[in-house]
Amino acid sequence: MTADLSVLVDDWLDWHGAAKALGVSVNRVRTMIREHSLAGAVPVEGGGQRVPALFIQDGQVVKGLPGLLTVFHDGGWTDRDCIEWIFTDQELPGRPIDALRENRGSEVQRRARVEAFS
């Protein structure tokens, strides 16, 4: 996967912004990324690592995202690959991130299990 994440994802949060949105410390955000509860990437070369703002909803990580990230990481994917897939139209209808935010995550999870290991 090689999409330009700065074009694919409209709004990014640095770790401080993500921490504030979640009501946790920056160290906790770092741990969440390491444990695959969140995913982070460098959207612009030379910039710092960021978290897609849509990964956070109402002060919490979007329901279903940690499980989705775990499936992909078990399949050998990087955070960058995960973000690209989650923000690309998969005909669900729409993007997986939209389905997750609308509590339509079952089909996203099913497709992710197939995609992660193919």
Side-chain angles (χ1 to χ4, degrees):
M1 296 189 182
T2 58
D4 182 347
L5 293 185
S6 68
V7 173
L8 201 57
V9 180
D10 292 332
D11 194 15
W12 294 86
L13 299 170
D14 64 15
W15 287 7
H16 292 282
K20 184 175 181 182
L22 290 167
V24 299
S25 69
V26 172
N27 285 338
R28 179 69 185 130
V29 169
R30 185 176 294 118
T31 299
M32 292 171 82
I33 291 170
R34 186 175 57 247
E35 294 175 346
H36 310 304
S37 296
L38 275 177
V42 178
V44 178
E45 191 172 327
Q49 191 174 48
R50 306 257 190 259
V51 173
L54 290 179
F55 281 179
I56 301 169
Q57 185 175 31
D58 301 326
Q60 296 185 0
V61 174
V62 171
K63 181 181 176 183
L65 181 65
L68 184 65
L69 294 172
T70 297
V71 166
F72 281 129
H73 284 283
D74 287 351
W77 289 37
T78 67
D79 275 4
R80 187 174 193 82
D81 294 335
C82 294
I83 292 168
E84 181 178 340
W85 190 87
I86 291 167
F87 280 87
T88 300
D89 190 340
Q90 304 293 330
E91 301 175 5
L92 289 167
R95 306 173 304 172
I97 188 61
D98 300 323
L100 290 173
R101 291 177 62 85
E102 295 166 4
N103 203 23
R104 297 184 292 115
S106 298
E107 180 64 10
V108 173
Q109 295 289 346
R110 187 191 70 72
R111 290 185 188 199
R113 283 190 296 276
V114 171
E115 186 76 21
F117 297 99
S118 57

